[in-house]
Amino acid sequence: MRIHWPRRVFAQVLLTQVAITTGVIMLVTGLFLAPLSHQLDDQAMRQALSIAQTAAAEPGLVRNLTSTDPSPSGPVQAEAERMRHATGALYIVVMDTRGVRWSHTETEQIGKHVSTDPSTALSGQEIMQIDNGTLGRSARAKVPLRNSRHIIVGAVSVGIAYDSVHTRLLEAIPGLLRYSGAALAVGVLAALAVSRRLQRGTHGLAFADISALLDEREAMLHSIREAVLALDARGGIRLLNDEARRLLELGQDAVGRALGEVLPPGRTTEVLAGRVEGANLITVCNGRVLIANRMPTGDGGAVVTLRDRTELELLGRELDSTHGLLDALRAQDHEHANRLHTLLGLLELGRHEAAVEFVAEVTSGHRASAEQVAERVNDPLLSALLVGKSAIAAERGASLRVSPGTRLPDVVVDPRDLVTVLGNLIDNALDAASLIEVELLAEGTTAVLRVSDNGPGIPPGMREHIFTEGWSTKESPAHRGRGLGLALVRRLAERYGGAARVTARAGGGAVFTVVLPEALGVRPPTEVGELR
């Protein structure tokens, strides 16, 4: 029958921990028994040595050894047996200098030579050892026997039965095994508790499943087009995918660092950190309009998803402009119809010269307005924007004029950014004022855009708040949110290294000024010569 290794993580950990615990207990038990055996041997040999030393110090034993003959009924045998019974020794053998026994447990051995070499003890040295003799294996000690003049007259050999030493060792093993078993049971229970917790944490998955899930997670995170950012309980970045790095412009060392270390203070950081509540929160980061959603995790962290809505926001603003242009065309259609009726009336009345003058006046007025804008603003996108906004303003009963000081002859590096800035500023002004003035200036490679209006103005305490995401005094349209235009203006200005600010207009109203360094390029010499 073949035993299969379990696939579940918790089962593998449990078996591993049980095996390790069992091995450690067995090793500890073995390491404990080995010195215990040596310790018991040493104790038995020292006990034998102590008995031998006590016997050798007995004066009557030395006197009887030197004054009598070896005999089973002699005084040496009687004294030795008395001490043996009193101490529980296996034997006490008294020998003379020739190695002949004067006492022994087996009386027939008296008068015979000892079975082991007595030379060491007879030379004056004490000895302890585990050895085999006529009574079997024993822990024994030998000491010299001296008379009153310290002359060696014999030796005393004492033995302790080795079976008693072995019995003491065996008696200690059950208790040791009980303690070992208790320790093993505690270890198994601890391993079971850890495995249970691991089972809950891994949802009963196998190592192969966990590895596959990690691979799938990495592939999914880096393949989806939404930005995904995972945070821990302290607000540190736990992981992020490629899209999150791109949208937030984070480096490779962002993982493991706090949000405040890698992102500047502002609404984006507040939204990601969870200090702004809500779903589909809008924020602007590095000139991009982002939609953020934050989902808390069980460990106190969170997962944040970000969607790039920049293109959608631009399309929404273009849709607003298109609606405005349609309204303007509708109004112009009515105005054109009125002019045609007027022209028809002049012709029917026969006032042909007046009809010619009327047509010339209308035509020259429109041409002059467009030509003035084109002369002052070289870029076609910007000039077209100004002409279109002028028509929308006229339809709303407002007036949009280009300042006589406007001069923007240089090449614009990215006209779309300037169109975004200027379009947002004009749209905000049209919602609040009846008179708007636009001024575009070139200072080297720096473009300065200024839009002033005669509206209610901005209170000094609100002049910084109006550039934050979500701030607006107007109701949001159905297709997009409010409070992004001025925030996007400031982000674009900061991207160029410039700034956006608002001040009060003389006579009432507000003046928005945006400075965009390096927004203008240098016209090639050939084109400069052609213009001259």
Side-chain angles (χ1 to χ4, degrees):
M1 182 177 179
R2 185 176 180 181
I3 300 176
H4 295 280
W5 184 252
R7 296 182 65 251
R8 304 294 184 184
V9 175
F10 77 94
Q12 293 186 17
V13 172
L14 176 61
L15 290 180
T16 302
Q17 290 181 325
V18 169
I20 292 175
T21 303
T22 303
V24 170
I25 294 297
M26 293 177 63
L27 179 62
V28 170
T29 302
L31 292 177
F32 179 78
L33 287 177
L36 178 61
S37 177
H38 292 296
Q39 184 179 3
L40 293 177
D41 289 347
D42 185 70
Q43 289 179 355
M45 288 187 295
R46 290 188 180 279
Q47 183 182 3
L49 178 64
S50 177
I51 296 172
Q53 290 173 342
T54 302
E58 183 66 32
L61 190 64
V62 175
R63 185 175 58 253
N64 292 327
L65 179 65
T66 57
S67 61
T68 62
D69 293 328
S71 171
S73 58
V76 175
Q77 168 71 2
E79 184 66 18
E81 284 299 300
R82 183 187 66 80
M83 288 189 292
R84 183 178 72 83
H85 289 296
T87 58
L90 176 64
Y91 63 85
I92 296 179
V93 174
V94 180
M95 66 189 78
D96 58 16
T97 55
R98 298 170 300 169
V100 175
R101 299 186 185 96
W102 285 63
S103 66
H104 198 278
T105 304
E106 298 175 355
T107 55
E108 64 270 14
Q109 299 293 335
I110 297 175
K112 297 180 180 180
H113 197 277
V114 295
S115 59
T116 57
D117 184 13
S119 59
T120 302
L122 293 175
S123 65
Q125 298 181 13
E126 296 180 347
I127 183 173
M128 295 187 304
Q129 61 185 10
I130 302 292
D131 203 355
N132 294 315
T134 57
L135 297 179
R137 189 172 180 80
S138 62
R140 61 183 61 185
K142 296 177 182 179
V143 297
L145 190 63
R146 303 175 188 271
N147 60 15
S148 58
R149 291 178 295 176
H150 297 285
I151 298 174
I152 298 175
V153 295
V156 177
S157 175
V158 177
I160 302 296
Y162 194 77
D163 291 341
S164 63
V165 178
H166 191 260
T167 301
R168 291 173 59 190
L169 178 62
L170 294 179
E171 290 176 351
I173 291 178
L176 181 61
L177 291 179
R178 284 194 296 269
Y179 286 114
S180 300
L184 179 60
V186 172
V188 171
L189 291 177
L192 183 60
V194 172
S195 299
R196 291 282 187 183
R197 184 174 181 181
L198 187 61
Q199 180 184 14
R200 291 193 298 268
T202 59
H203 301 283
L205 296 176
F207 279 115
D209 298 331
I210 295 176
S211 178
L213 285 176
L214 289 175
D215 293 338
E216 291 171 2
R217 187 199 69 167
E218 290 298 317
M220 179 179 64
L221 283 177
H222 295 290
S223 63
I224 60 177
R225 297 306 302 164
E226 283 193 359
V228 178
L229 187 75
L231 306 174
D232 58 25
R234 295 176 296 176
I237 300 176
R238 190 151 48 192
L239 65 88
L240 69 163
N241 63 353
D242 297 337
E243 186 67 5
R245 293 184 189 275
R246 184 184 72 85
L247 294 182
L248 300 176
E249 296 186 0
L250 299 178
Q252 297 295 327
D253 60 342
V255 176
R257 301 174 61 185
L259 280 174
E261 297 179 8
V262 297
L263 290 176
R267 178 176 170 82
T268 301
T269 303
E270 298 292 318
V271 169
L272 295 181
R275 291 187 282 268
V276 180
E277 297 182 355
N280 295 323
L281 297 174
I282 299 177
T283 181
V284 177
C285 181
N286 301 319
R288 296 186 179 93
V289 180
L290 305 177
I291 303 296
N293 282 282
R294 194 174 190 273
M295 178 64 67
T297 57
D299 60 352
V303 175
V304 183
T305 59
L306 299 170
R307 299 194 306 273
D308 190 355
R309 192 176 162 178
T310 306
E311 296 297 330
L312 182 60
E313 182 66 21
L314 294 177
L315 289 175
R317 294 191 176 277
E318 290 182 6
L319 181 59
D320 287 345
S321 300
T322 303
H323 283 306
L325 183 58
L326 289 175
D327 293 340
L329 291 175
R330 192 177 298 111
Q332 288 181 355
D333 180 58
H334 293 164
E335 183 181 359
H336 183 63
N338 292 332
R339 289 172 180 172
L340 286 179
H341 294 158
T342 301
L343 180 60
L344 179 60
L346 291 174
L347 292 176
E348 289 180 351
L349 293 174
R351 303 183 64 177
H352 300 89
E353 293 181 0
V356 172
E357 292 177 1
F358 177 74
V359 172
E361 180 181 354
V362 172
T363 304
S364 63
H366 283 285
R367 183 183 300 112
S369 176
E371 288 178 354
Q372 288 176 0
V373 172
E375 288 177 358
R376 296 173 183 174
V377 180
N378 183 66
D379 188 81
L381 290 180
L382 290 173
S383 58
L385 175 69
L386 290 173
V387 172
K389 294 296 184 182
S390 298
I392 294 174
E395 188 273 334
R396 294 185 182 181
S399 174
L400 187 151
R401 63 188 183 188
V402 179
S403 171
T406 293
R407 289 292 184 275
L408 197 67
D410 298 307
V411 177
V412 179
V413 174
D414 193 344
R416 294 174 298 177
D417 290 342
L418 271 69
V419 166
T420 299
V421 172
L422 191 58
N424 281 311
L425 295 179
I426 293 176
D427 287 342
N428 287 336
L430 286 175
D431 290 335
S434 60
L435 177 62
I436 301 99
E437 184 176 61
V438 177
E439 184 177 22
L440 305 177
L441 300 175
E443 298 177 357
T445 58
T446 300
V448 180
L449 286 67
R450 188 174 291 113
V451 177
S452 59
D453 61 68
N454 64 345
I458 306 296
M462 300 297 296
R463 290 177 182 172
E464 284 299 317
H465 293 289
I466 64 174
F467 290 102
T468 59
E469 299 96 322
W471 189 94
S472 178
T473 59
K474 296 171 285 187
E475 184 179 354
S476 299
H479 60 275
R480 63 183 179 87
R482 286 286 190 184
L484 294 176
L486 292 179
L488 194 57
V489 167
R490 169 160 284 186
R491 292 295 186 275
L492 285 173
E494 291 174 349
R495 181 191 293 180
Y496 280 89
R501 64 181 184 274
V502 59
T503 57
R505 175 178 176 269
V511 178
F512 287 85
T513 304
V514 180
V515 179
L516 302 174
E518 307 299 329
L520 303 179
V522 180
R523 185 177 297 277
T526 55
E527 295 188 11
V528 174
E530 291 175 1
L531 290 176
R532 292 178 181 174

